[in-house]
Amino acid sequence: MSGFYENYVKLMGNLIEPDRATPYKINYLKKIIKNDKVYKFISFEGDASLVRTKIETLKQGKIWFSFYKTLNDETEFYMNYNAKNISQITGRSINNVHLLVNYLTEMYDVYSLTYEYQTSMWQDYAAGGNGICIEYNVGDYDYLYPVEYLEKTDIDFEQMIISAITGKNLALAIIPWVIKNPVNITANMDSTKEKEVRMLYCPYDLAELNSGRVEMNIKERLHYRGIAKPYTDFKLSVSKIIIGNKCCYDTVKELEIFCDANGISYTYL
């Protein structure tokens, strides 16, 4: 692994050393994010109840954090490792190794944004215009993580797991969430064009999921898909909404009324 997160992990330190990773991350984000603006493209195509949920989430002043298995890339959180080898090196049982990795995959939900407004994103993420783009102002960069595009098969996740178990570093706590393959085979698209930054949210901290207990495959067993949270909790504010040119008349009017009532600027694609 090389690039931003190689340095980030080196700077993470431990419980004794001061946190040098966060200032490094914020400085990096401020270089790639222009004018404190990030963007969210939302499609209104498909299941009517899902479209209604998306609109209501916006009107409630919330953002949707997704369980990673509901995202459009099947390689999200892909980790190649040999549990038997890890068990022999660390003295942990094979079941314990699998449990550690599973607990990690259950920990966070993901909210994806892009740090550049590109018209090509309408086609891939907002149904070619049957959707919207929300422009947000960033109030606190610490909530954001840049996504790095690397071939996951080239990353030594096995050593990362061993390092986590033996207490050498905490790379395993963040790297699987913020590394993506350059090509999304599932959706047949170039992921690097997304220029993605992410926010992570743990639904266990406030006992919003399973009474705060992390258990083996609990999200799948509960048919959990994600959670809506107020964007103001993460120091985001809506700067503008761009309404796609393929949205139906009723949706356009509903969005216009909502924006006018809340003093939100809006334009059209």
Side-chain angles (χ1 to χ4, degrees), residues 7 34 103 106 122 221 252:
N7 292 326
K34 307 303 180 186
Y103 274 20
E106 297 288 325
W122 283 96
R221 289 192 281 118
V252 172

Side-chain angles (χ1 to χ4, degrees), residues 249-265:
Y249 175 82
D250 288 344
T251 297
V252 172
K253 295 309 296 181
E254 182 177 2
L255 291 171
E256 289 173 343
I257 292 170
F258 164 72
C259 289
D260 288 337
N262 290 275
I264 297 172
S265 172

Side-chain angles (χ1 to χ4, degrees), residues 13-221:
N14 51 45
L15 295 177
I16 299 174
E17 297 175 356
D19 175 20
R20 294 179 295 157
T22 299
Y24 169 72
K25 181 190 71 167
I26 291 174
N27 183 59
Y28 178 86
L29 287 166
K30 287 186 174 181
K31 288 179 180 177
I32 63 173
I33 295 174
K34 307 303 180 186
N35 301 314
D36 300 325
K37 308 290 187 187
V38 290
Y39 306 88
K40 180 67 175 180
F41 288 83
I42 300 174
S43 170
F44 289 157
E45 197 168 81
D47 181 78
S49 63
L50 179 58
V51 172
R52 174 45 46 190
T53 297
K54 292 177 180 179
I55 294 173
E56 291 302 321
T57 299
L58 169 64
K59 292 172 69 174
Q60 292 165 11
K62 295 181 177 181
I63 54 179
W64 181 262
F65 287 88
S66 300
F67 176 32
Y68 83 95
K69 286 194 174 181
T70 68
L71 301 177
N72 73 347
D73 185 348
E74 291 178 1
T75 68
E76 287 281 357
F77 221 100
Y78 168 83
M79 294 173 62
N80 183 36
Y81 65 94
N82 186 312
K84 184 177 179 180
N85 287 345
I86 296 171
S87 174
Q88 291 174 342
I89 293 171
T90 64
R92 298 287 185 94
S93 70
I94 291 176
N95 284 340
N96 186 268
V97 172
H98 287 312
L99 188 65
L100 168 66
V101 174
N102 181 261
Y103 274 20
L104 188 64
T105 65
E106 297 288 325
M107 190 60 61
Y108 293 112
D109 295 323
V110 177
Y111 186 60
S112 298
L113 297 147
T114 179
Y115 59 83
E116 279 190 14
Y117 176 83
Q118 303 174 86
T119 54
S120 61
M121 294 289 286
W122 283 96
Q123 185 61 46
D124 293 336
Y125 293 95
N130 184 12
I132 57 174
C133 174
I134 306 174
E135 180 184 87
Y136 289 106
N137 292 313
V138 179
D140 188 342
Y141 280 79
D142 195 17
Y143 286 111
L144 300 174
Y145 291 86
V147 169
E148 197 159 3
Y149 301 94
L150 300 170
E151 291 291 347
K152 293 187 177 183
T153 53
D154 294 338
I155 298 175
D156 192 349
F157 285 112
E158 189 168 310
Q159 183 56 52
M160 208 175 289
I161 295 170
I162 292 170
S163 294
I165 292 174
T166 57
K168 291 182 179 178
N169 68 55
L170 300 174
L172 190 66
I174 186 64
I175 296 302
W177 295 103
V178 293
I179 299 295
K180 292 183 68 172
N181 283 325
V183 177
N184 180 341
I185 304 243
T186 311
N188 189 29
M189 65 174 63
D190 178 2
S191 292
T192 64
K193 295 191 302 182
E194 299 169 351
K195 300 185 184 299
E196 185 179 350
V197 290
R198 287 184 165 180
M199 299 171 66
L200 305 176
Y201 181 75
C202 179
Y204 300 99
D205 286 347
L206 300 177
E208 295 164 296
L209 177 65
N210 197 39
S211 300
R213 301 188 306 273
V214 184
E215 300 176 12
M216 192 79 169
N217 296 323
I218 186 61
K219 288 182 176 178
E220 289 180 274
R221 289 192 281 118

